[in-house]
Amino acid sequence: MKSSGNGDTRQHTTVEGDDAVLARRMLDSLLGGRPERLLRCGSQLCLATPRGLEVIAAKAYARQLRVDTGCRLLDAAETSGGALLLDETGLVARWIPGEPLQAIDRPAATRFRRMVACGDRYLLGRGRKLQLHDANTGETLAVGIIDLPGRLSALCLDRSGDILAARSQTLALVGREGDRLVQKSLCSLGDGEILAAALTIPDPGSPPLVVAFDEFGWLFTLAVDDQGRLHKVGSIDLELDGGVPERAGLFCDGPHVIVASGTRLVHLVDLRPPTGQQDPVLMATASVGTCLADVVADDQYVFLADAYQGLVVVARSLLEICHDDPVARKVAIIDPDDVL
């Protein structure tokens, strides 16, 4: 407690240290159950929160025991039959339903903060640094630097081996050359920070299309030309509600993209524009949550991670016909006693 030093004798509280870190930890203690990532692990749905991995049986929608890392969980990624968890100490651990956590890697030089996985590989990122690892052994396969301004705001690892890395408003296409990750192409998008990016094949046999969503609600489509360069093809301004989101999610199903906007809205977009046009087409929008941070789907349901409501399950058939209330189920993971 101290006075302001300008004649004001009122007492003011000061906090030593990093205010942002302290504020984050206070929020974690209050709303530590807020989902930040959504995974499908066999017959279970898993919500990654700062407290750990919340496991929900997909058919019964019953909560299982939480997978606790012992410290703040930063990110999680789906692998065949299980999940990889990245905690704030830098530890990467594998979790398979019914088995204990198995540590597979702890990078010594950098404590990474983001992770994505695909097949038998996972990708770590922090700042300008990227590292590709073997998901079975933790072995480092390749490393690289993305020399762009801004912060690392989105990552994608595709089955083809291509990597998408967004730093603020710029999207980089990264490829592997031996033990190096090499920046192949760059494309600057709109004014907003890119929150999510993905690769999809709209129609069988067609070339892949890159999809990116930014904090101002713009969904961009990009193509890769014969020289491997990214170029913007089209865009659509999707409605947001509740301000500028910090997180968002994309689920690509061929020509369709389901967007968890980071606000209360979920969007269904068709990547096949009418003849003579290039922009994607909005098919449906529904208000189903509070702060939708991530999304996965199957033929019947759209599963959404809501930062305050937990798991939100939407009937896909009702979403596609713009039904007023497509919500089929909600599973809360923040206990009322935690916030009272």
Side-chain angles (χ1 to χ4, degrees):
M1 305 284 282
K2 66 177 184 179
S3 69
S4 64
N6 61 358
D8 183 355
T9 59
R10 290 175 298 177
Q11 298 295 301
H12 300 269
T13 301
T14 60
V15 179
E16 301 297 333
D18 187 336
D19 288 351
V21 171
L22 291 172
R24 188 198 72 197
R25 293 189 180 279
M26 289 173 64
L27 187 61
D28 285 350
S29 66
L30 179 65
L31 293 174
R34 68 191 191 282
E36 298 175 341
R37 191 75 66 209
L38 175 58
L39 316 174
R40 294 198 73 173
C41 301
S43 62
Q44 295 170 314
L45 296 159
C46 300
L47 297 168
T49 82
R51 290 179 180 173
L53 201 64
E54 299 284 352
V55 183
I56 301 170
K59 292 185 178 180
Y61 296 113
R63 288 178 60 185
Q64 312 294 306
L65 289 176
R66 178 187 303 149
V67 179
D68 192 352
T69 60
C71 57
R72 189 177 197 269
L73 181 63
L74 295 180
D75 215 338
E78 181 181 334
T79 62
S80 55
L84 295 177
L85 308 181
L86 171 66
D87 70 29
E88 64 180 348
T89 70
L91 177 68
V92 178
R94 180 189 294 110
W95 175 74
I96 297 174
E99 298 183 13
L101 277 175
Q102 176 190 1
I104 62 173
D105 184 37
R106 189 191 297 273
T110 303
R111 289 187 180 181
F112 290 95
R113 302 191 65 83
R114 287 186 174 270
M115 176 173 62
V116 291
C118 187
D120 60 354
R121 295 158 301 151
Y122 66 91
L123 179 71
L124 298 173
R126 180 173 186 174
R128 299 185 304 146
K129 297 181 180 180
L130 299 178
Q131 279 190 11
L132 185 67
H133 292 255
D134 184 292
N136 296 310
T137 64
E139 176 189 0
T140 302
L141 302 176
V143 298
I145 296 291
I146 305 301
D147 194 11
L148 293 170
R151 73 183 188 102
L152 185 65
S153 56
L155 280 178
C156 171
L157 176 61
D158 189 64
R159 293 188 180 278
S160 65
D162 285 330
I163 293 167
L164 297 172
R167 283 185 61 83
S168 295
Q169 295 88 6
T170 304
L171 190 64
L173 179 64
V174 179
R176 180 183 174 188
E177 295 182 2
D179 62 356
R180 295 189 306 135
L181 297 176
V182 179
Q183 186 175 294
K184 297 163 62 177
S185 178
L186 297 175
C187 188
S188 294
L189 301 180
D191 296 326
E193 185 172 83
I194 301 166
L195 300 180
L199 278 147
T200 187
I201 297 178
D203 294 300
S206 68
L209 202 61
V210 174
V211 184
F213 182 73
D214 78 6
E215 63 181 344
F216 294 150
W218 283 92
L219 183 73
F220 299 92
T221 55
L222 304 96
V224 183
D225 63 20
D226 295 338
Q227 284 73 45
R229 295 173 300 195
L230 278 174
H231 62 92
K232 189 162 59 175
V233 175
S235 61
I236 183 173
D237 185 7
L238 299 176
E239 181 185 359
L240 294 181
D241 182 81
V244 178
E246 295 183 357
R247 289 181 177 270
L250 297 174
F251 178 82
C252 297
D253 184 12
H256 296 148
V257 178
I258 301 174
V259 183
S261 68
T263 66
R264 63 186 177 89
L265 302 176
V266 59
H267 305 283
L268 177 62
V269 177
D270 196 319
L271 299 178
R272 299 166 297 184
T275 303
Q277 299 183 27
Q278 292 184 308
D279 294 334
V281 178
L282 178 64
M283 298 175 64
T285 294
S287 173
V288 300
T290 304
C291 183
L292 302 174
D294 203 4
V295 56
V296 298
D298 58 24
D299 291 340
Q300 290 185 295
Y301 296 106
V302 177
F303 305 98
L304 296 148
D306 187 280
Y308 298 103
Q309 298 190 44
L311 176 68
V312 178
V313 184
V314 170
R316 189 162 178 174
S317 60
L318 296 181
L319 174 64
E320 290 173 351
I321 63 172
C322 301
H323 193 277
D324 287 342
D325 184 15
V327 175
R329 193 74 179 249
K330 292 183 180 180
V331 183
I333 61 170
I334 298 177
D335 296 322
D337 289 344
D338 291 339
V339 294
L340 291 179

